[in-house]
Amino acid sequence: LKPLGRPTHLSWEDYLAPEDLKRDLQSIPVRLDPEFRERLAQSREKMWNDPSGYAPGIPIVLFHGPPGTGKTFAMKVLAAQAGLQSWTL
C-alpha cells in the first residue's frame, strides 16, 4: 500500500469515460456526510504523516480491470474532488 500524490487540479472533465460511469463516481463524494468530512479533516494530517496508521471509517473504493483502462486516473480524480488521499496496492 503506498500513497499517491495529491493532485488537486484534476476534474471530471479531464476523465474520458462513459457518462454513466462518471455519474456513479461523482456520487461518491456527495454521499460523504458533513460529520464524516469533519472527522476526516481532523485526521487527514496525521494520516498523511503516518500512512501506516489505521483510520476506521475511511471510505474505500476498489478499482479493477485490465491495464490501460483509466483506473488510476479515475481514482486520482475522485480523490482530488473528494479531498481524500489516494492509495495504490
Side-chain angles (χ1 to χ4, degrees), residues 2 7 9 27 46 62 81 86:
K2 74 175 185 181
H9 64 281
S27 73
K46 180 180 182 290
L62 181 63
Q81 295 299 303
S86 56

Side-chain angles (χ1 to χ4, degrees), residues 8-89:
T8 57
H9 64 281
L10 295 175
S11 71
W12 292 111
E13 289 77 35
D14 299 318
Y15 182 55
L16 302 176
E19 289 303 314
D20 59 331
L21 175 59
K22 286 170 80 169
R23 263 192 316 275
D24 288 346
L25 292 173
Q26 288 170 332
S27 73
I28 293 171
V30 173
R31 289 183 282 175
L32 300 177
D33 64 66
E35 184 179 306
F36 170 79
R37 285 189 163 293
E38 180 61 32
R39 288 193 319 269
L40 182 62
Q42 292 172 358
S43 64
R44 182 176 290 142
E45 192 63 33
K46 180 180 182 290
M47 290 178 356
W48 182 249
N49 291 328
D50 181 16
S52 64
Y54 175 67
I58 300 301
I60 295 174
V61 177
L62 181 63
F63 292 90
H64 69 91
T69 56
K71 299 176 300 291
T72 301
F73 193 78
M75 183 232 353
K76 287 180 179 180
V77 173
L78 178 60
Q81 295 299 303
L84 300 172
Q85 172 64 49
S86 56
W87 299 80
T88 186
L89 296 174

